[in-house]
Coordinates of all heavy atoms in Angstrom, one line a residue:
M991 N 0.8 -1.2 0.0 CA 0.0 0.0 0.0 C 0.9 1.3 0.0 O 0.6 2.2 -0.7 CB -0.9 0.0 1.2 CG -1.9 1.1 1.3 SD -3.0 1.0 0.0 CE -4.0 2.4 0.3
K992 N 1.9 1.2 0.8 CA 2.8 2.4 0.9 C 3.5 2.6 -0.5 O 3.6 3.8 -0.9 CB 3.9 2.1 1.9 CG 4.8 3.3 2.2 CD 5.7 3.0 3.3 CE 6.6 4.2 3.5 NZ 7.6 4.0 4.6
R993 N 3.9 1.6 -1.2 CA 4.5 1.7 -2.5 C 3.5 2.3 -3.5 O 3.9 3.1 -4.4 CB 5.0 0.3 -2.9 CG 5.8 0.4 -4.2 CD 6.5 -0.9 -4.5 NE 7.6 -1.1 -3.6 CZ 8.5 -2.0 -3.6 NH1 8.5 -2.8 -4.6 NH2 9.5 -2.0 -2.8
T994 N 2.3 1.9 -3.4 CA 1.3 2.4 -4.3 C 1.1 3.9 -4.1 O 1.0 4.7 -5.1 CB -0.1 1.7 -4.1 OG1 0.2 0.3 -4.3 CG2 -1.1 2.1 -5.1
I995 N 1.0 4.3 -2.9 CA 0.8 5.8 -2.6 C 2.1 6.5 -3.1 O 1.9 7.6 -3.7 CB 0.6 6.0 -1.1 CG1 -0.8 5.4 -0.7 CG2 0.7 7.5 -0.8 CD1 -1.0 5.4 0.8
F996 N 3.2 6.0 -2.9 CA 4.5 6.6 -3.4 C 4.4 6.7 -4.9 O 4.8 7.8 -5.5 CB 5.7 5.9 -2.9 CG 7.0 6.5 -3.2 CD1 7.4 7.7 -2.7 CD2 7.8 5.9 -4.2 CE1 8.6 8.3 -3.0 CE2 9.0 6.5 -4.5 CZ 9.4 7.7 -3.9
F997 N 4.0 5.7 -5.6 CA 3.9 5.7 -7.0 C 2.9 6.8 -7.5 O 3.2 7.5 -8.5 CB 3.5 4.3 -7.6 CG 3.3 4.3 -9.0 CD1 4.3 4.3 -9.9 CD2 2.0 4.3 -9.5 CE1 4.1 4.3 -11.3 CE2 1.7 4.2 -10.9 CZ 2.8 4.2 -11.8
L998 N 1.8 6.9 -6.8 CA 0.8 7.8 -7.2 C 1.3 9.3 -7.0 O 1.0 10.2 -7.8 CB -0.5 7.6 -6.5 CG -1.3 6.3 -6.9 CD1 -2.5 6.1 -6.0 CD2 -1.7 6.4 -8.3
L999 N 2.1 9.5 -5.9 CA 2.6 10.8 -5.7 C 3.6 11.1 -6.8 O 3.6 12.3 -7.3 CB 3.3 10.8 -4.3 CG 4.1 12.0 -3.9 CD1 3.0 13.2 -3.7 CD2 4.9 11.8 -2.7
L1000 N 4.5 10.2 -7.2 CA 5.4 10.5 -8.3 C 4.7 10.7 -9.6 O 5.1 11.5 -10.4 CB 6.4 9.3 -8.4 CG 7.4 9.2 -7.2 CD1 8.3 8.0 -7.5 CD2 8.2 10.5 -7.1
L1001 N 3.6 10.0 -9.8 CA 2.8 10.2 -11.0 C 2.2 11.6 -11.1 O 2.3 12.3 -12.1 CB 1.7 9.1 -11.1 CG 0.8 9.2 -12.3 CD1 1.6 8.9 -13.6 CD2 -0.3 8.2 -12.2
A1002 N 1.7 12.0 -9.9 CA 1.1 13.4 -9.8 C 2.2 14.4 -10.1 O 2.0 15.4 -10.8 CB 0.5 13.6 -8.5
L1003 N 3.4 14.2 -9.5 CA 4.5 15.1 -9.7 C 4.9 15.2 -11.2 O 5.2 16.3 -11.7 CB 5.7 14.7 -8.8 CG 6.9 15.6 -8.9 CD1 6.6 17.0 -8.3 CD2 8.1 14.9 -8.1
A1004 N 5.0 14.0 -11.8 CA 5.3 14.0 -13.3 C 4.2 14.7 -14.1 O 4.6 15.5 -15.0 CB 5.4 12.6 -13.7
M1005 N 3.0 14.6 -13.7 CA 1.9 15.3 -14.4 C 2.1 16.8 -14.2 O 1.9 17.6 -15.2 CB 0.6 14.8 -13.9 CG 0.2 13.4 -14.4 SD -1.3 12.7 -13.7 CE -2.5 13.9 -14.0
V1006 N 2.4 17.3 -13.1 CA 2.6 18.7 -12.8 C 3.8 19.2 -13.6 O 3.7 20.3 -14.2 CB 2.8 19.0 -11.3 CG1 3.3 20.4 -11.1 CG2 1.5 18.7 -10.6
A1007 N 4.9 18.4 -13.7 CA 6.1 18.8 -14.4 C 5.7 18.9 -15.9 O 6.2 19.9 -16.6 CB 7.2 17.8 -14.2
I1008 N 5.0 18.0 -16.4 CA 4.6 18.0 -17.9 C 3.7 19.2 -18.1 O 3.9 19.9 -19.1 CB 3.9 16.7 -18.3 CG1 5.0 15.6 -18.3 CG2 3.3 16.8 -19.6 CD1 4.4 14.2 -18.4
F1009 N 2.8 19.5 -17.2 CA 1.9 20.6 -17.4 C 2.7 21.9 -17.4 O 2.5 22.8 -18.3 CB 0.8 20.6 -16.3 CG 0.0 21.9 -16.4 CD1 -1.0 22.0 -17.3 CD2 0.1 22.9 -15.4 CE1 -1.8 23.1 -17.4 CE2 -0.7 24.0 -15.5 CZ -1.6 24.1 -16.4
L1010 N 3.6 22.1 -16.5 CA 4.4 23.3 -16.4 C 5.3 23.4 -17.7 O 5.5 24.5 -18.2 CB 5.3 23.3 -15.2 CG 4.6 23.6 -13.9 CD1 5.5 23.4 -12.7 CD2 3.9 24.9 -13.9
A1011 N 5.8 22.3 -18.2 CA 6.6 22.3 -19.4 C 5.8 22.8 -20.6 O 6.3 23.6 -21.4 CB 7.2 21.0 -19.7
I1012 N 4.6 22.4 -20.6 CA 3.7 22.8 -21.7 C 3.3 24.3 -21.6 O 3.4 25.1 -22.6 CB 2.4 22.0 -21.8 CG1 2.8 20.5 -22.2 CG2 1.4 22.6 -22.7 CD1 1.6 19.6 -22.0
V1013 N 3.0 24.7 -20.4 CA 2.6 26.1 -20.2 C 3.8 27.1 -20.3 O 3.6 28.1 -21.0 CB 2.0 26.3 -18.8 CG1 1.8 27.7 -18.4 CG2 0.7 25.5 -18.7
L1014 N 4.9 26.7 -19.8 CA 6.1 27.7 -19.8 C 6.8 27.7 -21.2 O 7.3 28.7 -21.6 CB 7.1 27.3 -18.8 CG 6.6 27.5 -17.3 CD1 7.7 26.9 -16.4 CD2 6.3 28.9 -17.0
G1015 N 6.7 26.6 -21.9 CA 7.3 26.6 -23.2 C 8.8 26.8 -23.2 O 9.6 26.2 -22.5
E1016 N 9.3 27.9 -23.9 CA 10.7 28.2 -24.0 C 11.3 28.7 -22.7 O 12.5 28.7 -22.5 CB 10.9 29.2 -25.1 CG 10.7 28.7 -26.5 CD 10.9 29.8 -27.5 OE1 11.4 30.9 -27.2 OE2 10.7 29.5 -28.7
L1017 N 10.5 29.3 -21.8 CA 11.0 29.9 -20.6 C 11.2 28.8 -19.5 O 11.7 29.1 -18.4 CB 10.0 30.9 -20.1 CG 9.8 32.1 -21.0 CD1 8.7 33.0 -20.4 CD2 11.1 32.9 -21.1
G1018 N 10.8 27.6 -19.7 CA 11.0 26.5 -18.7 C 12.4 26.4 -18.2 O 12.7 26.4 -17.0
P1019 N 13.4 26.3 -19.1 CA 14.8 26.1 -18.7 C 15.3 27.3 -17.8 O 16.0 27.2 -16.9 CB 15.6 26.0 -19.9 CG 14.7 25.5 -20.9 CD 13.3 26.1 -20.6
W1020 N 14.8 28.5 -18.2 CA 15.2 29.7 -17.4 C 14.7 29.6 -16.0 O 15.4 29.9 -15.0 CB 14.7 31.0 -18.1 CG 15.2 32.2 -17.5 CD1 16.4 32.9 -17.7 CD2 14.6 32.9 -16.4 NE1 16.6 33.9 -16.9 CE2 15.5 34.0 -16.0 CE3 13.5 32.8 -15.6 CZ2 15.2 34.9 -15.0 CZ3 13.2 33.7 -14.6 CH2 14.0 34.7 -14.3
Y1021 N 13.4 29.3 -15.9 CA 12.8 29.2 -14.5 C 13.5 28.1 -13.7 O 13.7 28.2 -12.5 CB 11.3 29.0 -14.6 CG 10.5 30.2 -15.0 CD1 9.9 30.3 -16.2 CD2 10.5 31.3 -14.1 CE1 9.2 31.5 -16.5 CE2 9.8 32.4 -14.4 CZ 9.1 32.5 -15.6 OH 8.5 33.7 -15.9
F1022 N 13.8 27.0 -14.4 CA 14.5 25.8 -13.7 C 15.8 26.3 -13.2 O 16.2 26.0 -12.1 CB 14.6 24.7 -14.7 CG 15.4 23.5 -14.1 CD1 14.9 22.7 -13.1 CD2 16.7 23.2 -14.5 CE1 15.6 21.7 -12.5 CE2 17.4 22.2 -14.0 CZ 16.9 21.4 -13.0
A1023 N 16.6 27.0 -14.0 CA 17.9 27.5 -13.6 C 17.8 28.5 -12.5 O 18.6 28.5 -11.5 CB 18.6 28.1 -14.8
W1024 N 16.8 29.3 -12.5 CA 16.5 30.3 -11.4 C 16.2 29.6 -10.1 O 16.8 29.9 -9.1 CB 15.4 31.2 -11.8 CG 15.1 32.3 -10.8 CD1 15.8 33.4 -10.6 CD2 14.1 32.3 -9.9 NE1 15.3 34.1 -9.6 CE2 14.2 33.5 -9.1 CE3 13.0 31.4 -9.6 CZ2 13.3 33.8 -8.1 CZ3 12.2 31.7 -8.6 CH2 12.3 32.9 -7.8
L1025 N 15.3 28.6 -10.2 CA 15.0 27.9 -8.9 C 16.2 27.1 -8.4 O 16.4 27.1 -7.2 CB 13.8 26.9 -9.2 CG 12.5 27.6 -9.4 CD1 11.4 26.5 -9.8 CD2 12.0 28.2 -8.1
L1026 N 16.9 26.5 -9.3 CA 18.1 25.7 -8.9 C 19.1 26.6 -8.3 O 19.7 26.3 -7.2 CB 18.6 24.9 -10.1 CG 19.7 23.8 -9.8 CD1 19.1 22.8 -8.9 CD2 20.2 23.2 -11.0
G1027 N 19.4 27.7 -8.9 CA 20.4 28.7 -8.4 C 20.0 29.3 -7.0 O 20.8 29.4 -6.1
T1028 N 18.7 29.6 -6.9 CA 18.2 30.1 -5.6 C 18.4 29.1 -4.5 O 18.8 29.5 -3.4 CB 16.7 30.6 -5.8 OG1 16.7 31.6 -6.8 CG2 16.2 31.2 -4.5
A1029 N 18.0 27.9 -4.8 CA 18.1 26.8 -3.8 C 19.6 26.6 -3.4 O 19.9 26.4 -2.2 CB 17.5 25.5 -4.3
T1030 N 20.5 26.7 -4.4 CA 21.9 26.5 -4.1 C 22.4 27.6 -3.2 O 23.2 27.3 -2.3 CB 22.7 26.4 -5.4 OG1 22.1 25.4 -6.2 CG2 24.2 26.2 -5.2
I1031 N 22.1 28.8 -3.5 CA 22.5 30.0 -2.7 C 22.0 29.9 -1.3 O 22.7 30.1 -0.3 CB 22.1 31.3 -3.4 CG1 22.9 31.5 -4.7 CG2 22.3 32.5 -2.4 CD1 24.4 31.6 -4.5
V1032 N 20.7 29.5 -1.1 CA 20.2 29.3 0.2 C 20.9 28.3 1.0 O 21.2 28.4 2.2 CB 18.7 29.1 0.1 CG1 18.1 28.7 1.5 CG2 17.9 30.3 -0.4
L1033 N 21.2 27.1 0.4 CA 21.8 26.0 1.0 C 23.3 26.4 1.4 O 23.8 26.1 2.5 CB 21.8 24.8 0.2 CG 20.5 24.1 0.0 CD1 20.5 22.9 -0.9 CD2 20.0 23.6 1.4
C1034 N 24.0 27.1 0.5 CA 25.3 27.6 0.8 C 25.3 28.6 2.0 O 26.2 28.5 2.9 CB 26.0 28.2 -0.4 SG 26.4 27.1 -1.7
A1035 N 24.3 29.5 2.0 CA 24.3 30.4 3.1 C 24.0 29.7 4.5 O 24.6 30.0 5.5 CB 23.2 31.4 2.9
A1036 N 23.1 28.7 4.4 CA 22.8 27.9 5.6 C 24.0 27.1 6.1 O 24.3 27.0 7.3 CB 21.6 26.9 5.4
A1037 N 24.8 26.6 5.1 CA 26.0 25.8 5.5 C 27.0 26.8 6.1 O 27.7 26.4 7.1 CB 26.6 25.1 4.3
G1038 N 27.2 28.0 5.5 CA 28.1 28.9 6.1 C 27.7 29.4 7.5 O 28.6 29.5 8.4
G1039 N 26.4 29.5 7.7 CA 25.9 29.9 9.1 C 26.2 28.8 10.1 O 26.6 29.0 11.2
A1040 N 26.0 27.5 9.6 CA 26.3 26.4 10.5 C 27.8 26.3 10.9 O 28.2 26.0 12.0 CB 25.8 25.1 9.9
M1041 N 28.6 26.6 9.9 CA 30.1 26.5 10.1 C 30.5 27.6 11.0 O 31.4 27.4 11.9 CB 30.8 26.6 8.8 CG 30.7 25.3 7.9 SD 31.4 25.5 6.3 CE 33.0 26.1 6.6
L1042 N 29.9 28.8 10.9 CA 30.3 29.9 11.7 C 29.9 29.6 13.2 O 30.6 29.9 14.1 CB 29.6 31.2 11.3 CG 29.9 32.5 12.1 CD1 31.3 32.8 12.0 CD2 29.0 33.6 11.6
D1043 N 28.7 29.0 13.4 CA 28.2 28.7 14.7 C 29.2 27.6 15.3 O 29.5 27.7 16.5 CB 26.8 28.1 14.7 CG 25.8 29.2 14.5 OD1 26.1 30.4 14.7 OD2 24.6 28.8 14.2
A1044 N 29.6 26.7 14.5 CA 30.5 25.6 15.0 C 31.9 26.2 15.4 O 32.4 25.9 16.4 CB 30.7 24.5 14.0
Q1045 N 32.4 27.2 14.6 CA 33.6 27.8 14.9 C 33.5 28.7 16.2 O 34.4 28.7 17.0 CB 34.1 28.7 13.8 CG 34.6 27.9 12.6 CD 34.9 28.8 11.4 OE1 34.7 30.0 11.4 NE2 35.5 28.2 10.4
D1046 N 32.4 29.4 16.3 CA 32.2 30.2 17.6 C 32.1 29.3 18.8 O 32.7 29.6 19.9 CB 30.9 31.0 17.4 CG 31.1 32.2 16.5 OD1 32.3 32.5 16.2 OD2 30.1 32.8 16.1
E1047 N 31.4 28.2 18.7 CA 31.3 27.3 19.8 C 32.7 26.7 20.2 O 33.0 26.6 21.4 CB 30.3 26.2 19.5 CG 30.1 25.2 20.6 CD 29.1 24.1 20.3 OE1 28.1 24.4 19.5 OE2 29.2 23.0 20.7
H1048 N 33.4 26.3 19.2 CA 34.8 25.8 19.4 C 35.7 26.8 20.1 O 36.5 26.5 21.0 CB 35.4 25.3 18.1 CG 36.8 24.7 18.3 ND1 37.0 23.5 18.9 CD2 38.0 25.1 17.9 CE1 38.3 23.2 18.9 NE2 38.9 24.2 18.3
A1049 N 35.6 28.0 19.6 CA 36.4 29.1 20.2 C 36.1 29.4 21.6 O 36.9 29.6 22.5 CB 36.3 30.4 19.3
S1050 N 34.8 29.4 21.9 CA 34.4 29.7 23.3 C 34.8 28.5 24.2 O 35.1 28.7 25.4 CB 32.8 29.9 23.4 OG 32.1 28.8 23.0
Q1051 N 34.7 27.3 23.7 CA 35.2 26.1 24.6 C 36.7 26.2 24.8 O 37.1 25.9 25.9 CB 34.8 24.8 23.9 CG 33.3 24.5 24.0 CD 32.9 23.2 23.3 OE1 33.8 22.6 22.6 NE2 31.7 22.8 23.4
S1052 N 37.4 26.6 23.8 CA 38.9 26.7 23.9 C 39.2 27.8 24.9 O 40.1 27.6 25.7 CB 39.5 27.0 22.5 OG 39.3 25.9 21.7
A1053 N 38.5 28.9 24.9 CA 38.7 30.0 25.8 C 38.4 29.6 27.2 O 39.1 29.9 28.2 CB 37.9 31.2 25.4
A1054 N 37.3 28.8 27.4 CA 37.0 28.3 28.7 C 38.0 27.3 29.2 O 38.3 27.3 30.4 CB 35.6 27.7 28.7
D1055 N 38.5 26.5 28.4 CA 39.6 25.5 28.8 C 40.9 26.2 29.1 O 41.6 25.8 30.0 CB 39.8 24.5 27.6 CG 38.7 23.5 27.5 OD1 37.8 23.4 28.4 OD2 38.6 22.9 26.4
D1056 N 41.2 27.3 28.4 CA 42.4 28.0 28.7 C 42.3 28.8 30.0 O 43.3 29.0 30.7 CB 42.7 29.0 27.5 CG 43.2 28.3 26.3 OD1 43.5 27.1 26.4 OD2 43.1 28.9 25.2
A1057 N 41.1 29.2 30.4 CA 40.9 30.0 31.6 C 41.1 29.1 32.8 O 41.4 29.6 33.9 CB 39.6 30.6 31.6
R1058 N 40.9 27.8 32.7 CA 41.0 26.9 33.9 C 42.4 26.7 34.3 O 43.4 26.8 34.3 CB 40.4 25.6 33.5 CG 38.9 25.6 33.4 CD 38.4 24.3 33.1 NE 37.0 24.4 32.8 CZ 36.2 23.4 32.4 NH1 36.7 22.2 32.4 NH2 35.0 23.6 32.1

């Protein structure tokens, strides 16, 4: 049953993709590149923020260890 629901979900997604390809026509690749680029920038920014938090946490732990 779970596999059937998953298949139907993918089928619906394919139908939406085909519909968008028909409606957008020549502009489809441009919108795809824009969405992909936006997602990439957001993920890079999130990764940079996570790395900055990890570096700050490491620096504060090192400072606390040095103070002892």
Side-chain angles (χ1 to χ4, degrees):
M991 183 67 178
K992 185 177 180 181
R993 186 172 287 193
T994 304
I995 293 172
F996 184 67
F997 175 75
L998 291 175
L999 178 68
L1000 290 178
L1001 181 64
L1003 182 64
M1005 290 172 52
V1006 168
I1008 291 170
F1009 175 75
L1010 286 176
I1012 292 169
V1013 170
L1014 293 175
E1016 292 180 2
L1017 295 176
W1020 186 88
Y1021 284 114
F1022 175 71
W1024 181 77
L1025 287 173
L1026 192 62
T1028 302
T1030 302
I1031 291 299
V1032 168
L1033 290 175
C1034 286
M1041 288 173 51
L1042 180 64
D1043 286 345
Q1045 288 175 353
D1046 286 346
E1047 183 178 324
H1048 180 70
S1050 65
Q1051 286 179 354
S1052 294
D1055 289 342
D1056 290 342
R1058 289 182 191 178

